[in-house]
Amino acid sequence: MTKDTNSSSSYKELHQANNAFREYFLNDSSESVAAYRQVMTSLAETIAEQVKGQQQPYSGKSPADLVAGIAALDIFPEHGDTLQNVLDRTKELVIESNISVYHPYCLAHLHCPTFIASLAAEMIISAFNQSMDSWDQAPAATMIEQALCDKLCEVYGFGADADATFTGGGTMSNFMGLLLARDHYSQTHFNWNIQLQGLPAEASRFRIICAEHAHFTIAQSASILGLGAHAVVKIANEGLDEEVAALENTILSLKEQGLLPIAYVTTVGTTDFGSIGAIGQLADCAHKHGLWIHVDAAYGGALMFSDKHKYKLHGIETVDSVTIDFHKLFYQPISCGAFIVKDKAMFNYIKLHAAYLNPESNEELGILDLVSKSIQTTRRFDALKPFIALQHIGVKKFGEMLDHTIALADEVSNIIDEDPQLQLAYKTPINAVVFRYVPGEALSDAEADAINSDIKIKLLLSGKAIIGQTAVYERAYLKFTLLNPMTSVDQVVDLLNEIKEMGAVLEAAYMAVCDNETVSNS
Ligand SMILES: *Cc1c(COP(=O)(O)O)cnc(C)c1O
């Protein structure tokens, strides 16, 4: 009897507790739905106002200013505050000091403005929170992601044996390419299953070849794969005439030294220079010598959607695997990437069956658990973003946007090339423009480098422009990544003029220092 009373009172308490928690979640009560509507509508208004009113790509707040604002907060308070108050503070701390990816002067990195259609998709993704690991957590989403994977294979020219998976981005896609290359090599050459047995003794002799300008994630992958960053052998850059010969010679010379070249990575659009190699010829050469060829098309993969520029990717259909990044030239919100493999059987190297998630019996029922071809478990439904955006925009207009960015970069390159105060590093086949301010001959190379670095930092800390910086033959260069199709030539020319003015002021300051030194030395 006593026991019963106890249990019924705890039953009641439990029930009350439920009610007290409900207001914090999206759920079927009218209060929750009303609160959701209210907060999303008012937040959309706040965001719209911010985007509309932001004159500069950055507020110009210094690192110290930002830290001071955050330090004044109790991040994990004992008791919560109203959501409105929290969002108001967030507006001040974050929203107002974000880099505006929509601004024409946000042009340092492969950091893109986003399609409205994809932002709508993001709302669906987060509200419904499907998880792509197993079909019972994402039934329709799984089928859409798979349909998109099949479509991607088709677009990039692969046959029925190909398959793909969505990833968090280029880093993970490159890692997957090299993981499968390593495991396939080991299985076929040494009958050795790395997933079960760990690395074979021969692994210390495995080598991955790539160009000098390959993305750093190639070396990072080699490290994580237990091959060591030293396993990466660098050769001539993409797009240079000698690239294919360099690959051939390197493979032969490594083999002569008793080393085991397992894979070649070529980049379609190197991060700094946008270079693209002769993919088909490189693939032939790699295959002739038994290497896996992976194409890192994180930057340039989108060109497949441009009638004008897709020829630059000729031969991509012959390679073993490809990295595509949707959160770069596909204008998708972060994160959204894909990995394509020519032979879907390669996914077997990473396939694991968990009784709770993707039992083998599911396959027999036609239930598709995407975890079987991913190195992530819980995973976002990022595929919805390109799915919605491309249906809305259409391939033709999307291709025209890409063409426009490349035409803009060509025009800007010509303008720089004709300006004696500026120097163009070289013309790129995509929308990157690498150049520098050229001071008078009285200044040393080191001073010229310092002036270019100063220009970049000054623009950033004033919030006026976020431009890139890189090195060409160890000299400091500036970089525009002109991936925003809304940017006009005039806007870029204005920025170039600003850069030249800043360069002249900095140069005068250096000259003054030189003069003073000359005076004091004499
Ligand atoms: C951006 C980039 C990567 C890394 O991709 P993330 O999406 O940032 O992980 C790899 N390779 C190239 C060529 C890239 O441009």
Side-chain angles (χ1 to χ4, degrees):
M1 196 63 202
T2 341
K3 206 175 169 200
D4 274 352
T5 324
N6 272 350
S7 85
S8 83
S9 80
S10 74
Y11 183 92
K12 237 185 242 154
E13 275 167 27
L14 282 172
H15 194 69
Q16 280 165 355
N18 284 150
N19 282 336
F21 300 147
R22 287 176 76 84
E23 67 170 285
Y24 295 101
F25 291 89
L26 183 57
N27 64 72
D28 65 355
S29 71
S30 352
E31 292 83 353
S32 163
V33 172
Y36 175 76
R37 245 190 218 125
Q38 195 275 325
V39 73
M40 289 309 191
T41 314
S42 102
L43 194 54
E45 196 50 46
T46 305
I47 293 170
E49 286 303 316
Q50 176 65 30
V51 172
K52 204 168 139 213
Q54 193 160 341
Q55 305 293 334
Q56 301 198 133
Y58 182 53
S59 66
K61 279 201 180 165
S62 70
D65 293 341
L66 296 173
V67 168
I70 299 164
L73 269 190
D74 187 358
I75 299 177
F76 289 163
E78 176 82 15
H79 300 289
D81 195 353
T82 64
L83 183 53
Q84 194 55 55
N85 283 346
V86 177
L87 290 177
D88 287 347
R89 286 197 292 270
T90 306
K91 176 173 183 287
E92 213 171 288
L93 285 173
V94 182
I95 296 182
E96 289 172 5
S97 284
N98 278 333
I99 295 295
S100 169
V101 293
Y102 310 101
H103 199 284
Y105 293 168
C106 175
L107 30 67
H109 304 281
L110 290 160
H111 191 184
C112 64
T114 53
F115 287 139
I116 295 170
S118 309
L119 298 178
E122 278 285 1
M123 206 160 164
I124 302 174
I125 295 167
S126 57
F128 293 102
N129 204 30
Q130 307 291 284
S131 182
M132 306 311 294
D133 38 343
S134 64
W135 191 78
D136 64 359
Q137 300 179 85
T142 297
M143 295 329 197
I144 285 175
E145 179 172 318
Q146 186 56 48
L148 223 67
C149 287
D150 293 341
K151 192 72 195 170
L152 277 179
C153 293
E154 185 193 313
V155 166
Y156 286 87
F158 293 98
D161 287 338
D163 198 3
T165 182
F166 271 72
T167 66
T171 304
M172 196 185 298
S173 299
N174 282 343
F175 177 76
M176 287 189 80
L178 292 172
L179 170 72
L180 297 184
R182 179 198 69 172
D183 290 7
H184 185 57
Y185 187 90
S186 179
Q187 188 66 54
T188 49
H189 287 74
F190 305 112
N191 193 25
W192 185 275
N193 182 330
I194 291 184
Q195 297 292 319
L196 289 178
Q197 298 168 276
L199 290 176
E202 294 86 353
S204 65
R205 291 189 284 133
F206 286 7
R207 290 294 179 272
I208 294 163
I209 308 171
C210 64
E212 191 61 41
H213 288 168
H215 198 262
F216 72 84
T217 51
I218 304 307
Q220 181 199 51
S221 299
S223 301
I224 303 173
L225 288 167
L227 306 178
H230 286 297
V232 176
V233 179
K234 299 213 160 173
I235 62 166
N237 284 324
E238 274 83 4
L240 297 184
D241 292 341
E242 60 268 32
E243 190 188 5
V244 181
L247 174 59
E248 173 109 37
N249 292 339
T250 305
I251 294 172
L252 294 176
S253 126
L254 289 173
K255 286 187 173 179
E256 252 165 45
Q257 296 165 56
L259 298 169
L260 307 170
I262 64 168
Y264 179 60
V265 180
T266 187
T267 311
V268 172
T270 54
T271 312
D272 273 352
F273 301 102
S275 320
I276 302 175
I279 306 170
Q281 289 176 44
L282 292 164
D284 287 347
C285 175
H287 286 152
K288 186 172 84 182
H289 295 288
L291 273 71
W292 179 292
I293 175 162
H294 175 76
V295 173
D296 177 0
Y299 181 5
L303 296 192
M304 208 61 182
F305 288 79
S306 153
D307 284 337
K308 217 181 206 159
H309 297 285
K310 68 162 72 150
Y311 76 92
K312 293 173 182 168
L313 273 59
H314 182 73
I316 199 166
E317 69 286 354
T318 64
V319 309
D320 296 291
S321 55
V322 181
T323 288
I324 307 288
D325 232 352
F326 291 101
H327 55 219
K328 288 178 175 166
L329 265 191
F330 284 86
Y331 309 115
Q332 299 303 312
I334 299 161
S335 58
C336 196
F339 171 74
I340 304 176
V341 64
K342 181 168 70 179
D343 178 2
K344 66 176 120 193
M346 298 300 156
F347 279 131
N348 286 333
Y349 289 115
I350 57 165
K351 187 164 168 180
L352 298 167
H353 285 287
Y356 79 95
L357 205 56
N358 60 335
E360 272 177 274
S361 56
N362 275 2
E363 278 179 34
E364 288 147 27
L365 295 170
I367 288 179
L368 184 61
D369 297 312
L370 294 179
V371 71
S372 307
K373 47 179 175 152
S374 178
I375 52 172
Q376 274 177 285
T377 309
T378 304
R379 192 161 55 80
R380 284 166 55 85
F381 181 25
D382 288 318
L384 188 67
K385 295 181 281 192
F387 178 79
I388 288 183
L390 279 162
Q391 283 182 77
H392 168 55
I393 293 155
V395 168
K396 186 163 186 295
K397 179 144 310 139
F398 174 52
E400 287 167 5
M401 291 178 189
L402 300 173
D403 295 351
H404 175 79
T405 64
I406 296 174
L408 173 68
D410 279 348
E411 182 62 23
V412 169
S413 297
N414 289 338
I415 291 169
I416 290 173
D417 212 18
E418 285 161 15
D419 192 324
Q421 280 182 278
L422 300 171
Q423 184 190 355
L424 184 72
Y426 52 77
K427 276 220 161 168
T428 70
I430 195 165
N431 46 28
V433 179
V434 181
F435 67 100
R436 70 195 313 233
Y437 173 78
V438 190
E441 284 177 8
L443 294 187
S444 68
D445 280 348
E447 285 163 334
D449 285 351
I451 288 174
N452 279 284
S453 302
D454 281 355
I455 291 173
K456 183 226 143 95
I457 289 292
K458 279 195 155 56
L459 285 170
L460 173 65
L461 292 182
S462 68
K464 277 190 191 158
I466 326 293
I467 69 172
Q469 183 183 355
T470 186
V472 182
Y473 298 116
E474 297 177 16
R475 295 264 72 89
Y477 273 71
L478 303 172
K479 181 176 74 161
F480 290 164
T481 309
L482 295 170
L483 51 61
N484 186 339
M486 300 171 283
T487 302
S488 72
V489 183
D490 286 350
Q491 288 167 328
V492 183
V493 167
D494 285 349
L495 182 56
L496 285 172
N497 287 335
E498 171 113 24
I499 287 173
K500 287 192 289 181
E501 277 165 31
M502 290 175 76
V505 170
L506 288 162
E507 187 176 346
Y510 274 101
M511 295 298 285
V513 172
C514 290
D515 288 349
N516 282 344
E517 276 170 6
T518 323
V519 171
S520 61
N521 284 348
S522 57

